[in-house]
Amino acid sequence: MNGMGGMGGMGGEGMPPALTAPADVAGAAEELIAGDGGSPAAYEGLLDAVVRAAGRDRAALAAALRPVAQAWAGVRRPRTLAAERLLAVVRSAAEPPAEPGPRPEGGDGRPWLETCQHEAVHLVLAERITELCAGLRRGVAVPMLLATPSRADGAVDPRELVMRLTEYEQAGVRPGPADLGQALLRCGGGPADTEVVGAAAELTLPEGPRIAAWLGRGGLPQPEPAVEREPGAPQPPSRRRGARVGRRILVGTAALDGRGDFPRTFWPLFRRFEPLIGCNHLLLGHRERHAAAALPWHPEIVAARLLTEVAAAADQGGSGGPEFLPALAQSPGPAGPAVHLALAYGLGAAQEPDRAAAAGALLTLAGRDRLDGALLGGELARLLLLGTLKPAAVTESLRLAAQPPGGGRAVWAVLAAALPELLSAVRSGALPRLHGPLLALAAHCAGACGARGPLPGLDALAGQPGSSQPVREARRLRNTLAGAGVACE
């Protein structure tokens, strides 16, 4: 490999130590399946451990996993999709191979039809598990999984991927299309080193030229986003379905080239995504942290596809998946309008765990210098004026985000962008009154970080007669912005 060095263990920032003994693999499987499937690092580590253990001693692994599979016999089911996927792998590894032999060339012949464009990321996760289970049932042995992340955020290091492929080459086995496809989607952040690209080109595997080209151009490009609001005048919730017509802001993405090199179930990721086309079923549980880890360099693709499900947590009182927004914020890829809209909906979620998760995600983005306060503030104002979000929920979330050191500065950047539009709506009569506690929080954050300068529309409200809470807090904010400097938290 021209001096590229050894691959080493799973390693990586935040990655757990590798599981080796069958008993340890079974113990981890039991824990993760009974829970929520674990973090992406724990989940992926278990998948890789099952594959490695199956290659060393399939009979010992099956004996260790059989009690775990039997514990979930009958009607008992895991509570998350991630745990269900792990259980499917455990069941496939717990029995002797039924049909020993290599993977059939040209796919497995399963019929497939894309029914919902929102499911694109879920299809990638599911296809990789389907492929893994089929290989275990056939007794196919591979050295390791190619798509196991190098880091806790889901990213795969291109150098490590090429080293893994070298072991495949030496073992005389071919990569699984879904596993290789997922590995390539996890490589990004710019073109790989020329040394790594050259080493990939030297692979004798048929996939070598394709892999070298992919790594050389930096992986999947970033799609062009298109922000769109649902058509029609905003309407109240429907008694029958709870939907709010005309109250959501969504994000579409342009089509991307290169889908033909991936399994067909990956193709929806490359197609143009039109957010205003509804689906004929409910997305249950797709808003999970593993979705963010599937495309760590493309959080915009993930957020855009799952934005309707995130929005449902705000405007339909939905719950579940509070770990999604923190995982999205930890993605190394660029955070654009879809990520910030997902954060806005999370800040206005009906359930406290979702709001707390959104507050944490805001701080994570700010800590990584990836928070666009003007973008988030503008979207919050638009959603508040549409009636999609409730001021009390948003205020509570932002108050939570403002508590840690430095949180006041991040929240003020958001409120400084949101308040002018809200104040303008009050002046025009489009908004009856401004939420007093939101103004109070703005005054607190402005004082905490020493913010100074005019805020459009604030003087008009502060100059009104009376002593209502909005007027009092507007005066306090005006005085704070005109006062002496105060050190930031």
Side-chain angles (χ1 to χ4, degrees):
M1 291 296 295
N2 298 329
M4 287 181 64
M7 185 186 76
M10 283 182 61
E13 180 184 352
M15 296 301 294
L19 302 165
T20 55
D24 294 336
V25 176
E30 183 177 26
E31 179 182 351
L32 296 182
I33 294 171
D36 62 358
S39 66
Y43 170 94
E44 293 283 353
L46 178 59
L47 294 180
D48 188 62
V50 169
V51 167
R52 290 174 184 264
R56 289 191 301 267
D57 190 338
R58 176 62 182 269
L61 176 66
L65 290 179
R66 200 164 293 123
V68 180
Q70 292 172 347
W72 292 90
V75 297
R76 186 186 180 202
R77 292 184 59 185
R79 60 186 178 89
T80 67
L81 290 176
E84 286 186 3
R85 293 193 294 266
L86 291 179
L87 178 57
V89 171
V90 165
R91 285 172 170 164
S92 297
E95 299 298 330
E99 302 174 14
R103 183 183 74 250
E105 294 293 335
D108 57 12
R110 290 181 293 113
W112 177 79
L113 175 67
E114 180 186 356
T115 59
C116 174
Q117 59 175 352
H118 297 91
E119 287 192 304
V121 182
H122 173 71
L123 289 172
V124 171
L125 295 170
E127 179 64 17
R128 184 161 169 249
I129 294 299
T130 298
E131 178 181 272
L132 174 53
C133 290
L136 289 169
R137 288 193 297 268
R138 291 196 308 270
V140 177
V142 295
M144 77 286 290
L145 287 178
L146 297 172
T148 302
S150 307
R151 304 184 334 206
D153 57 24
V156 169
D157 179 73
R159 182 181 299 268
E160 190 166 356
L161 173 59
V162 175
M163 292 302 299
R164 292 171 183 171
L165 287 162
T166 301
E167 293 196 36
Y168 269 62
E169 185 177 78
Q170 293 169 348
V173 295
R174 295 280 299 279
D179 189 35
L180 176 59
Q182 173 66 101
L184 293 176
L185 291 175
R186 284 175 165 164
C187 292
D193 293 342
T194 56
E195 178 190 10
V196 175
V197 175
E202 292 177 2
L203 292 169
T204 60
L205 291 169
E207 296 83 0
R210 167 200 169 196
I211 295 167
W214 182 269
L215 298 180
R217 63 175 177 263
L220 188 70
Q222 298 292 338
E224 288 294 327
V227 180
E228 303 180 48
R229 185 177 76 82
E230 289 179 329
Q235 297 179 16
S238 162
R239 291 183 178 179
R240 184 169 65 90
R241 309 185 78 173
R244 289 169 163 81
V245 176
R247 291 178 180 242
R248 285 181 177 173
I249 302 171
L250 302 171
V251 177
T253 54
L256 297 170
D257 294 331
R259 73 180 190 184
D261 291 330
F262 289 81
R264 286 188 63 198
T265 43
F266 284 49
W267 288 8
L269 281 177
F270 295 80
R271 292 189 177 132
R272 177 188 175 195
F273 174 57
E274 301 175 85
L276 300 184
I277 296 179
C279 59
N280 59 3
H281 68 282
L282 294 175
L283 295 173
L284 298 176
H286 294 185
R287 178 170 49 108
E288 55 172 335
R289 53 191 163 197
H290 302 282
L295 289 105
W297 297 102
H298 298 80
E300 282 292 290
I301 292 179
V302 177
R305 300 295 179 132
L306 297 177
L307 206 50
T308 53
E309 190 176 345
V310 180
D315 62 21
Q316 293 187 41
S319 62
E323 73 279 356
F324 173 68
L325 289 178
L328 200 65
Q330 291 165 5
S331 298
V339 170
H340 283 79
L341 270 167
L343 182 54
Y345 285 118
L347 292 170
Q351 305 294 327
E352 191 279 332
D354 290 305
R355 294 197 301 271
L362 188 157
L363 292 174
T364 296
L365 286 174
R368 298 186 175 195
D369 199 26
R370 295 171 61 230
L371 177 69
D372 187 333
L375 177 58
L376 177 57
E379 297 299 0
L380 279 174
R382 291 176 68 191
L383 291 169
L384 286 167
L385 292 175
L386 285 171
T388 311
L389 304 183
K390 296 181 178 179
V394 172
T395 301
E396 188 57 38
S397 299
L398 293 176
R399 182 180 291 116
L400 188 61
Q403 290 177 2
R409 181 191 296 272
V411 172
W412 170 248
V414 176
L415 289 175
L419 286 174
E421 189 169 349
L422 297 175
L423 289 165
S424 176
V426 171
R427 290 198 310 274
S428 67
L431 187 67
R433 64 199 299 267
L434 202 56
H435 191 56
L438 186 64
L439 278 170
L441 178 62
H444 168 76
C445 292
C449 71
R452 298 294 177 263
L455 190 69
L458 181 62
D459 287 345
L461 179 58
Q464 288 184 5
S467 58
S468 65
Q469 186 185 22
V471 172
R472 292 197 317 270
E473 296 301 341
R475 292 168 183 163
R476 186 160 75 95
L477 177 57
R478 178 189 62 184
N479 294 338
T480 298
L481 293 175
V486 179
C488 289
E489 293 180 357

